[in-house]
Amino acid sequence: MTRGQTLRPFYWRATALFPGQEIVSRTHAGRTHHDYAAFGDRVARLAGALRELGVEAGDRVGTFGWNTHRHMEAYYAPPLLGAQMHTINVVLPDDDVEFIVEDAADDVLLVDPGDPFETVERLFDRFDSVDHVVVMGEEAPESDLPVHAYEDLLSDADPVEDWPDVDADAPAGMCYTSGTTGTPKGVEYTQAMMHAHAMMVQTPSAIGIDQSDVVMHVVPMYHVNSWNFPYAATVAGAKQVYPGPSPDTETLADLVESEGVTLTAGVPTVFIDLLEYADDHDVDFSSLERIVVGGSAAPKGVMRRYATEYDVTIDHAWGMTETMSIASVSRPKAGMDLEGDEGLDVRAKQGLLSPGLEMRVVDDDGEDVPWDGESFGELWVRGPTVVDEYYRRPGANEESFEDGWLKTGDIATVDEEGYFEIVDRAKDVIKSGGEWISSIRLENALMEHPEVVQAAVIAVPHERWQERPVAAVVASGPVAEDDLRQHLAESFPRWWLPDDVRVRDSIPKTATGKFDKKALREELEDAPTPYAPEER
Ligand code: ADP
C-alpha cells in the first residue's frame, strides 16, 4: 500500500517547516497578512467547523469564490478530512451554476460575499442537496438561507488535531469544464492526483517553485485548482499572494510591486492587459522573474516585450481541466544553439510533455504521425495526473478516452526534438477547399503586428470553399485592414489570408478569460466577405 500520497504531508510541511512564511490576501474588506502557522490553525478550525455542520469523508464541499486566503483554507480542510472540494466558477451564467451544483450534489457551499452570495441566494431553491451556506467573511448577510459567517464558525470551532488517514484514491477535488464545448462536464481529482500534479509543478522540468519565491495566484481558484499552484507553493513554503475579487490590472501591478512577486501565472489576456497598463503607468516589475502563461497560446510578441522591457521570462504551458492543468512547458533544451528570436520560436510552442506523462499524436487513421514539425494529428496524453473519465457522462467518456489515453481534441505537430505545437482545437479547425488553415498560427502572426493587441481567427461558412478564415482584432492605434492582410501575406500563402479582418473594441471572452470563439462565430457568422475568394 502506498501511504501519504495525499495532501496531508503538504499541510504538515508548510506549517511545521515554514510557520513564519507569509500569506497575503486581498479580500472584499481589504488586504490581510497571515503566516503559515495561522493558516495551519485556521485550516484545523475550518475542518472542525465543517465536521460540526455534518461534513464527513466522502461528502462534497462546494466553493464559490475568488482568490483569497479563505479559499486557500477551503482547498485544504475538506480534503484533509477525506471530503471533496468542488470549485464552482463564479462568473458562469445562472443555468450553468444550477446545473453544476445539482450534478455534483454539493452538501455545503462556501461562498464569497457580494455577487457570488447573491447568485446562490437567487438559485438556492433549486439546490436540493445543499444544507449549509457559509459566507467567507466576518459576517453573514441577513437571509432566509441556512447561512453562517465563516469567521464565526472558525472562532467557535474545535480545531481538528488528529487528521484521519485518507485513502490516496479518495476523490479530493472536482472541477467542471467551462462548457464552451457543450454542457459542462465534471472531472474528479483524487488525493494522489493532486499530490502528483503539485509535485510535478514543483519539478524544475515543469515550473519549479521554491521557498524563496513570492507566488501571486492569478489563475482563478475556481478553475482547475488555480493550476494547483496553491498546493505547490504551499508545499514549497513560498510566500503567497491572493489578489481577491475581480482583480483589475491596476491591482495586479500594485501587488507585484508592493509584495515583491517573483512568479505568477494565468491566461495570455491577463498579461497582455498588464503590458498595456504598464505602457501608460509608472510600474515597478523589478521583482518579477517568471510568468507562466497557458490556457491559450502565448503570443510571441508578448513574450518578447516582457523579456526585453522587464527582464521577465514567460514559461509557456499547455494543459486542460482533464490533465489538472499544466501538462507541458516550453523551454529550449540545453545545448540548443539559438540566435535572436529562435529561442522565442521554441518558447512559443506548447513544449515538452511534463515528467510523469506520455503522449502520442495520432492521425485520422489512428497512426502516430512522424515527428517532423509538419504532420499533424490529435494529441493524446496519459499519466497519473490525467483523468480517465468524466463524472456521470458515459457518452462523453466513449468519445474522449481510449485505453487509458485522453484524446485531447487538440490538433498538434511534433518536431524532431519532441516539442509539440498546438495548431488548433479540433472544433476550431478551418477547412478551406479541403485544406486546413491554422487559426492559432494566424492569430500569433497578427499579434506580431505592432498595433495589434488581441487577435482571434475563426472559420465562417462559405458556399464554394466550405469555410474561410475571418479575423477579429483589437488594435492599440489606427490600423488599416489591408495592412494587416499585407502583414500576414509575408508569412502565409494567399489562400490562408482571412477574407475579412474586423477591427473591434473587444473580443468576447469565456468565463476563464480565453477568446470565446463560439460567441465570436455567432457574431461574425453573417459577415460579408469583401475579399473575393477567387483571389486565392
Ligand atoms: P475550456 O475547454 O473551457 O477552454 P480548459 O481550460 O480545460 O477549458 O481548456 C483546455 C484547452 O485550452 C486545451 O485543450 C487547449 O485547446 C487550450 N489550451 C490550453 N493551453 C494552451 C496553450 N498553451 N496553447 C494553446 N491552447 C491551449
Side-chain angles (χ1 to χ4, degrees):
M1 170 187 172
T2 320
R3 282 186 85 88
Q5 251 195 340
T6 65
L7 296 175
R8 194 173 66 190
F10 288 21
Y11 174 77
W12 175 84
R13 187 172 197 269
T15 53
L17 307 188
F18 300 97
Q21 186 58 283
E22 210 181 352
I23 298 164
V24 182
S25 172
R26 176 180 159 264
T27 70
H28 60 285
R31 203 183 292 188
T32 62
H33 294 254
H34 289 81
D35 58 21
Y36 276 24
F39 158 75
D41 177 56
R42 289 171 59 83
V43 169
R45 287 175 175 280
L46 175 59
L50 290 173
R51 267 190 182 160
E52 282 286 303
L53 295 180
V55 172
E56 296 175 354
D59 286 348
R60 210 168 267 150
V61 177
T63 68
F64 197 57
W66 297 98
N67 296 14
T68 65
H69 65 294
R70 295 190 181 100
H71 205 164
M72 177 194 179
E73 290 150 16
Y75 265 41
Y76 282 85
L80 289 177
L81 287 175
Q84 190 176 7
M85 179 228 16
H86 164 214
T87 53
I88 307 155
N89 186 330
V90 294
V91 294
L92 285 179
D94 280 5
D95 285 350
D96 282 351
V97 176
E98 182 192 338
F99 171 81
I100 287 171
V101 174
E102 272 191 315
D103 193 55
D106 297 311
D107 299 289
V108 173
L109 290 181
L110 304 180
V111 181
D112 265 1
D115 289 346
F117 179 73
E118 280 167 27
T119 303
V120 167
E121 204 168 36
R122 202 166 51 241
L123 299 176
F124 191 75
D125 281 350
R126 305 188 228 160
F127 295 163
D128 288 342
S129 60
V130 179
D131 296 324
H132 298 279
V133 175
V134 179
V135 181
M136 293 195 277
E138 302 286 342
E139 51 196 46
E142 285 284 316
S143 169
D144 295 335
L145 271 46
V147 290
H148 311 263
Y150 186 94
E151 292 302 329
D152 286 350
L153 286 184
L154 259 57
S155 319
D156 297 345
D158 276 338
V160 171
E161 279 163 11
D162 291 328
W163 293 103
D165 264 329
V166 175
D167 194 329
D169 291 329
M174 183 176 204
C175 183
Y176 279 72
T177 60
S178 68
T180 43
T181 50
T183 320
K185 295 187 286 275
V187 296
E188 294 191 287
Y189 306 134
T190 64
Q191 295 267 347
M193 290 173 76
M194 275 153 71
H195 182 111
H197 192 271
M199 295 304 274
M200 187 253 271
V201 167
Q202 275 303 87
T203 65
S205 312
I207 308 302
I209 301 176
D210 185 52
Q211 49 87 26
S212 59
D213 273 312
V214 179
V215 182
M216 179 165 75
H217 303 287
V218 173
V219 179
M221 293 179 83
Y222 53 69
H223 188 61
V224 203
N225 295 353
S226 193
W227 299 355
N228 286 317
F229 275 46
Y231 297 115
T234 304
V235 72
K239 173 175 167 181
Q240 300 182 52
V241 180
Y242 289 86
S246 347
D248 55 17
T249 41
E250 183 181 355
T251 304
L252 296 179
D254 176 45
L255 286 169
V256 168
E257 191 171 324
S258 54
E259 300 298 343
V261 171
T262 62
L263 170 66
T264 184
V267 292
T269 44
V270 172
F271 298 104
I272 294 171
D273 291 350
L274 195 63
L275 267 185
E276 265 206 281
Y277 177 84
D279 283 341
D280 303 331
H281 298 83
D282 194 14
V283 294
D284 178 2
F285 289 164
S286 56
S287 62
L288 201 54
E289 295 165 9
R290 278 189 298 157
I291 303 175
V292 184
V293 168
S296 305
K300 227 188 317 179
V302 174
M303 294 184 166
R304 186 185 301 111
R305 282 201 59 198
Y306 273 104
T308 53
E309 294 170 35
Y310 299 101
D311 197 20
V312 171
T313 305
I314 302 263
D315 276 339
H316 184 201
W318 168 89
M320 307 171 69
T321 309
E322 293 86 336
T323 64
M324 303 199 72
S325 76
I326 297 173
S328 76
V329 181
S330 206
R331 287 190 205 99
K333 288 182 185 173
M336 280 184 165
D337 201 12
L338 302 172
E339 308 255 329
D341 253 13
E342 288 176 354
L344 279 186
D345 290 341
V346 174
R347 288 179 177 278
K349 297 188 175 186
Q350 280 64 23
L352 298 176
L353 205 68
S354 296
L357 303 178
E358 295 170 281
M359 75 172 190
R360 295 176 62 190
V361 175
V362 178
D363 68 16
D364 286 347
D365 302 323
E367 300 295 329
D368 289 82
V369 305
W371 288 14
D372 56 11
E374 292 294 329
S375 313
F376 56 87
E378 187 182 22
L379 175 66
W380 292 16
V381 294
R382 72 176 172 198
T385 56
V386 180
V387 300
D388 57 7
E389 61 176 1
Y390 293 111
Y391 181 66
R392 305 201 323 192
R393 216 49 70 77
N397 286 342
E398 216 162 284
E399 207 176 288
S400 296
F401 303 98
E402 192 171 315
D403 298 334
W405 293 96
L406 164 71
K407 301 195 265 182
T408 66
D410 283 341
I411 309 299
T413 62
V414 193
D415 67 19
E416 292 79 358
E417 293 282 352
Y419 289 80
F420 70 89
E421 182 182 357
I422 306 286
V423 286
D424 248 314
R425 284 183 97 156
K427 65 185 172 53
D428 294 334
V429 161
I430 305 167
K431 270 277 182 81
S432 182
E435 296 291 333
W436 162 83
I437 295 172
S438 164
S439 63
I440 294 185
R441 283 190 182 157
L442 287 173
E443 286 160 8
N444 278 337
L446 280 167
M447 284 194 265
E448 283 281 285
H449 187 282
E451 296 297 338
V452 173
V453 187
Q454 298 176 4
V457 176
I458 56 158
V460 294
H462 191 280
E463 224 169 85
R464 173 153 177 213
W465 303 111
Q466 296 89 47
E467 284 179 344
R468 291 293 301 151
V470 165
V473 159
V474 177
S476 60
V479 58
E481 294 177 22
D482 269 341
D483 277 358
L484 294 177
R485 281 172 57 81
Q486 203 45 51
H487 167 75
L488 290 178
E490 287 166 19
S491 320
F492 299 103
R494 237 184 135 58
W495 63 275
W496 270 53
L497 304 189
D499 284 7
D500 192 4
V501 181
R502 296 288 180 98
V503 180
R504 305 160 53 103
D505 291 338
S506 67
I507 296 174
K509 302 213 177 67
T510 67
T512 50
K514 304 185 194 188
F515 294 135
D516 188 342
K517 291 197 177 177
K518 198 165 109 200
L520 189 64
R521 264 194 292 271
E522 277 160 20
E523 286 179 27
L524 297 187
E525 200 135 64
D526 306 320
T529 52
Y531 298 99
E534 279 67 30
E535 283 182 21
R536 288 175 12 136

